[in-house]
């Protein structure tokens, strides 16, 4: 069993170059299905993470040629031949459902199973299916599969009940090849939606309004290839900033778009963290942590749900009581029990967690329940007395590129122990026991 072994008590120092955003890369990889010209698509700034390799497998199972090397993906969809994604592959990742839109647009048919709900809630897809039906898809269930088919998509006016990121992406990728115009009201406004719009327009689509709650799409006949650079990952950036803050260190994240983290910076400053904003960087300097009244996760531009658990870890070290309200997902407090094993004082009432700050965190054996919860447990381990073992780190490898090696470069005492290493292109095997990790006294 692979795990991270973390020895706490060392302040992190240094800078991290942040790669492309997982949640931008995944829909854009799916959008490559829409390319019907002879040349391949080239995507740059692609992190070497588990979800990218999984999505690559899914697209290859449909007949695309996909290759990855040195943070660049090449995707060739000329041989697109199958419209069915196996249940085994669908189970592996939730975002596989955003294949439906481009498949209906390109092939007029797609068969998928309900995506695995991970431990943050049931992850329904009713908004996806309702929107695709409005665009002219017929959708039914058959032997455990969801089947969608259309003689040809047509533009429609769609009102999303909730600004769902995935539903917005699916409908956007369906509407670009629909006959006529489509308007999506109450669309998600995340930077990843803007990135998808820009990518689709680089392929020849006509999309406007991304970043606002109203998307306007003018259907076109066909889309072609392009070379595109993915935006940096605001959630990975926020995670490293919080790692710097929880250890009382000084960490800079580079290659980012600071404005994507406005709500995160504001909340960290409210918690006493001193931050410096650069052109394409953010730096955490020293600061005395203090409780925040209420932290409420919201759709963008509110505080992102994906940084709720790392922020909770940080607030366990802040003097005073903080209320964290998780308003996006139904069940995103699974990390609370794990943090409590480390002596954190947290109580949960429905969607609100009350964090009693300033507990002395103690090393323990804990398990990552999802990718962001796993990151939060590593942050808590960095600040804890003694050694923490974080299990189920496959969740973490899905969205953080070489988290252990990156943290080691910042002076963290963290190593990966166990048999399988993630696909670390060009990475040498590092000494895998705590005794060998160089000591950086805080
Ligand atoms: C995307 O998930 C991200 N995943 C999530 O990141 C992120 O937390 C989430 O958006 C919110 O920002 C990817 O982009 C791959 P939603 P998604 O549809 O699209 C409800 C991470 O850690 N809903 O905006 O699944 C749903 O239940 C991951 O990187 C419906 O009710 O999020 C949830 O309560 C975790 N019906 C809320 O909307 C639907 O049809 C937000 O979901 C769809 C969603």
């Amino acid at each position: 069993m692979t795990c991270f072994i973390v020895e706490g008590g060392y302040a992190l120092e240094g800078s991290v170059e942040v790669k492309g955003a997982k949640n931008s890369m995944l829909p854009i990889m799916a959008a490559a299905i829409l390319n019907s010209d002879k040349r391949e698509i080239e995507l740059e700034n692609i992190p070497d993470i588990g979800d990218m390799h999984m999505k690559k497998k899914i697209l290859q199972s449909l007949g695309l040629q996909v290759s990855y090397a040195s943070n660049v993906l090449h995707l060739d969809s000329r041989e697109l031949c199958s419209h069915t994604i196996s249940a085994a592959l669908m189970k592996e990742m939730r975002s596989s459902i955003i294949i439906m839109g481009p498949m209906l647009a390109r092939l007029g048919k797609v068969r998928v199973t309900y995506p695995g709900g991970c431990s943050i809630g049931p992850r329904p897809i009713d908004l996806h299916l309702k929107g695709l039906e409005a665009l002219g898809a017929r959708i039914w269930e058959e032997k455990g599969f969801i089947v969608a088919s259309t003689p040809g998509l047509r533009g429609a006016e769609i009102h999303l009940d909730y600004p769902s990121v995935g539903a917005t992406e699916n409908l956007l990728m369906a509407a670009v090849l629909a006959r006529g115009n489509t308007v999506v009201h109450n669309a998600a406004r995340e930077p990843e939606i803007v990135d998808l719009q820009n990518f689709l327009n680089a392929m020849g689509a006509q999309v406007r309004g991304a970043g606002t709650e109203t998307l306007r799409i003018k259907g076109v006949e066909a889309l072609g290839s392009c070379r595109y650079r993915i935006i940096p990952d605001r959630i990975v950036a926020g995670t490293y900033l919080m790692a710097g803050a929880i250890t009382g260190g000084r960490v800079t994240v580079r290659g980012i778009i600071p404005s994507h983290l406005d709500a995160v910076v504001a909340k960290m400053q409210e918690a006493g963290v001193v931050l410096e904003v650069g052109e394409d960087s953010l730096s955490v300097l020293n600061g005395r942590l203090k409780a925040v009244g209420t932290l409420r996760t919201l759709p963008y531009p509110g505080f992102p749900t994906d940084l709720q658990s790392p922020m909770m870890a940080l607030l366990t070290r802040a003097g005073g009581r903080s209320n964290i309200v998780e308003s996006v997902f139904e069940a995103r407090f699974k990390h609370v029990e794990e943090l409590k094993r480390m002596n954190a004082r947290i109580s949960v009432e429905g969607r609100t967690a009350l964090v009693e700050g300033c507990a002395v965190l103690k090393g323990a054996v804990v398990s990552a329940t999802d990718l962001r919860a796993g990151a939060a447990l590593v942050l808590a381990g960095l600040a804890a007395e003694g050694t923490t073992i974080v299990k189920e780190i496959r969740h973490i490898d899905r969205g953080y590129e070489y988290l252990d090696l990156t943290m080691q470069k910042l002076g963290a005492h963290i190593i990966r122990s166990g048999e399988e290493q993630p696909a670390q292109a060009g990475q040498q095997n590092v000494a895998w026991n705590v005794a060998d990790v160089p000591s950086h006294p805080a």
Side-chain angles (χ1 to χ4, degrees):
M1 176 271 302
T2 310
C3 62
F4 285 147
I5 303 175
V6 187
E7 202 185 338
Y10 298 87
L12 302 193
E13 301 274 338
S15 73
V16 179
E17 199 64 36
V18 174
K19 294 265 180 38
K22 167 180 83 79
N23 292 347
S24 188
M25 169 193 76
L26 291 172
I28 286 177
M29 285 177 75
I33 289 169
L34 297 163
N35 169 25
S36 55
D37 86 16
K38 300 258 167 300
R39 280 156 308 137
E40 61 186 15
I41 280 174
E42 184 172 302
L43 299 179
E44 297 169 351
N45 202 22
I46 301 295
D48 186 3
I49 56 175
D51 271 9
M52 182 276 293
H53 292 288
M54 183 45 66
K55 191 69 164 218
K56 177 164 165 276
K57 261 167 78 175
I58 290 172
L59 294 175
Q60 287 169 332
S61 76
L62 296 172
L64 277 79
Q65 308 285 327
V66 186
S67 62
Y68 175 76
S70 315
N71 301 123
V72 175
L73 263 173
H74 288 95
L75 303 105
D76 179 339
S77 50
R78 271 174 296 182
E79 320 276 307
L80 174 65
C81 54
S82 162
H83 54 251
T84 298
I85 300 173
S86 74
L89 284 175
M90 280 296 293
K91 194 168 60 45
E92 290 295 326
M93 69 191 299
R94 148 100 187 148
S95 80
S96 34
I97 202 69
I98 48 174
I99 287 262
M100 291 186 80
M103 286 293 284
L104 278 170
R106 182 81 194 281
L107 286 188
K109 186 163 185 185
V110 61
R111 284 173 85 242
V112 295
T113 55
Y114 275 92
C118 55
S119 63
I120 58 177
R123 315 296 291 276
I125 58 170
D126 54 310
L127 302 178
H128 298 245
L129 303 184
K130 232 163 69 179
L132 293 172
E133 282 173 335
L135 288 166
R138 197 166 65 79
I139 300 177
W140 68 96
E141 293 211 6
E142 185 182 276
K143 302 193 194 90
F145 277 87
I146 307 168
V147 187
S149 162
T150 178
L153 296 174
R154 58 179 191 282
E157 183 138 17
I158 299 167
H159 291 259
L160 285 175
D161 298 343
Y162 179 91
S164 154
V165 171
T168 302
E169 291 163 345
N170 236 340
L171 301 180
L172 179 47
M173 291 190 279
V176 288
L177 290 181
R179 212 174 331 105
N181 299 335
T182 297
V183 181
V184 181
H185 297 284
N186 197 26
R189 298 166 51 190
E190 273 68 5
E192 292 76 27
I193 306 289
V194 177
D195 213 21
L196 179 58
Q197 167 186 278
N198 295 342
F199 172 72
L200 291 168
N201 287 346
M203 292 177 78
Q206 295 192 29
V207 184
R208 285 181 298 118
T212 74
E213 68 277 4
T214 307
L215 284 180
R216 296 179 190 287
I217 304 111
K218 191 173 173 349
V220 295
E221 284 299 309
L223 294 175
S225 58
C226 67
R227 168 189 277 185
Y228 190 79
R229 183 176 179 79
I230 306 282
I231 57 168
D233 196 314
R234 60 194 168 99
I235 305 300
V236 167
T239 306
Y240 283 110
L241 290 172
M242 291 177 190
I246 201 171
T247 59
R250 299 167 71 94
V251 169
T252 295
V253 290
R254 296 192 188 293
I256 65 162
I257 301 171
S259 63
H260 288 171
L261 287 116
D262 282 351
V264 177
V265 166
K267 203 42 89 170
M268 288 180 75
Q269 286 170 331
E270 192 185 326
V273 180
V274 177
L275 285 134
E276 215 164 67
V277 185
E279 184 77 8
D280 70 344
S281 68
L282 275 167
S283 299
V284 158
L285 312 175
N286 288 337
R288 191 168 168 65
L289 292 176
K290 59 183 194 291
V292 299
T294 296
L295 185 159
R296 182 183 300 276
T297 66
L298 287 168
Y300 194 87
F303 189 94
T305 173
D306 293 346
L307 283 172
Q308 178 256 104
S309 50
M311 190 70 189
M312 184 185 285
L314 182 61
L315 291 171
T316 65
R317 307 287 297 120
R321 301 170 72 159
S322 305
N323 279 301
I324 296 179
V325 183
E326 172 51 63
S327 62
V328 175
F329 284 105
E330 300 80 355
R332 202 169 197 176
F333 283 143
K334 296 273 186 340
H335 45 284
V336 168
E337 285 314 309
E338 302 304 309
L339 287 170
K340 286 167 74 173
R341 283 180 209 281
M342 301 177 70
N343 196 40
R345 292 195 300 259
I346 309 167
S347 55
V348 173
E349 187 81 26
R351 287 201 179 199
T352 301
L354 172 64
V355 181
E356 299 271 0
C358 248
V360 175
L361 294 176
K362 297 198 182 320
V365 179
V366 291
S367 284
T369 47
D370 73 78
L371 116 92
R372 310 301 176 187
L377 295 171
V378 170
L379 264 54
L382 293 172
E385 281 177 0
T387 303
T388 298
I389 295 184
V390 182
K391 302 192 302 184
E392 308 297 335
I393 59 172
R394 68 184 187 287
H395 293 295
I396 301 175
D397 288 334
R398 286 184 47 192
Y400 290 90
E401 186 183 66
Y402 321 144
L403 181 80
D404 45 332
L405 301 181
T406 308
M407 289 283 192
Q408 282 171 15
K409 287 190 191 116
L410 294 172
H413 280 211
I414 176 172
I415 59 166
R416 177 184 297 266
S417 162
E419 55 286 356
E420 80 266 14
Q421 310 302 329
Q424 290 181 10
Q427 295 292 328
Q428 301 306 320
N429 261 347
V430 181
W432 299 119
N433 61 61
V434 183
D436 293 335
V437 176
S439 66
H440 293 262

